[in-house]
Amino acid sequence: MAEAERIIGTPDTPDAAGDGQERPEDAASGERADSEGTRAPGSGEPEPTAARPRGKRRIAVLFAVALFAYALDLSTKMIVVAKLEHHPPIEIIGDWLKFEAIRNAGAAFGFGEAFTVIFTMIAAAVIVVIARLARKLYSLPWALALGLLLGGALGNLTDRIFRAPGVFEGAVVDFIAPKHFAVFNLADSAIVCGGILIVLLSFKGLDPDGTVHKD
């Protein structure tokens, strides 16, 4: 009898009862696998969806700054053309700072007047690059810097397209004339400020996606 039980096996043993039934340790291991497969929020790895609203806010800041800089530049140029062009300069701080309407066919601060079309293409390329970079933007300082660049580029590009002597060859309206310095406009100022801020952020090791690296 004992020999028969040894050959056939008893169904009450743990090994035999395991067929078709779930063991407690198997259920526990399954729960652990499920918990590892779907991490709860804040469990070490941020959810991809949690980063999206933050990125959208940074993009909104970028375009808000760009829109403000562009609107301010456009409105001041319209006032200068209507009230100051073909009129004597207006002294703001004696000879040190004047408002004087000047049409500039070159780049910022009057450089390179023979390359108007090239500068127009560069400005358009800058706008495209900033728009593409905005998709990976998670840094507020970078949003401010790129917004200033975008607004300034749009301001001067508008002059290049719509002002005389023709499309893509238009002369930019400059009117801020410090003593012993080139005449410029608010778009030029926004571009310079945005560029300086980008240089500072690069020195600090802050990337547009919000990561910080140290060389």
Side-chain angles (χ1 to χ4, degrees), residues 21-33:
Q21 296 183 5
E22 184 179 11
R23 299 180 186 177
E25 56 269 26
D26 294 338
S29 62
E31 291 176 0
R32 286 196 300 270

Side-chain angles (χ1 to χ4, degrees), residues 58-212:
R58 299 299 183 262
I59 295 174
V61 170
L62 186 156
F63 287 109
V65 172
L67 181 61
F68 176 78
Y70 176 69
L72 190 61
D73 176 70
L74 186 62
S75 60
T76 53
K77 287 175 179 177
M78 293 175 64
I79 295 174
V80 167
V81 171
K83 303 294 184 181
L84 191 57
E85 201 167 32
H86 308 302
H87 289 80
I90 299 176
E91 294 186 354
I92 305 301
I93 308 176
D95 291 337
W96 291 98
L97 180 63
K98 298 179 181 179
F99 285 167
E100 180 179 5
I102 292 179
R103 296 294 182 109
N104 172 25
F109 307 109
F111 298 112
E113 294 187 2
F115 303 98
T116 305
V117 177
I118 296 177
F119 292 135
T120 303
M121 296 173 62
I122 292 174
V126 168
I127 294 171
V128 173
V129 170
I130 293 175
R132 291 176 62 87
L133 187 60
R135 296 180 299 176
K136 301 179 181 179
L137 186 63
Y138 292 94
S139 169
L140 180 59
W142 271 95
L144 297 174
L146 294 178
L148 289 172
L149 278 180
L150 180 59
L154 284 172
N156 284 339
L157 184 61
T158 300
D159 285 356
R160 302 289 187 195
I161 295 176
F162 295 104
R163 296 194 187 277
V167 178
F168 301 124
E169 296 181 353
V172 175
V173 176
D174 291 335
F175 62 95
I176 304 174
K179 188 176 182 180
H180 305 308
F181 196 72
V183 184
F184 59 97
N185 55 42
L186 294 183
D188 298 332
S189 302
I191 292 172
V192 171
C193 291
I196 293 174
L197 184 55
I198 287 176
V199 172
L200 294 176
L201 294 174
S202 299
F203 273 119
K204 292 182 65 176
L206 180 62
D207 292 334
D209 61 0
T211 59
V212 180

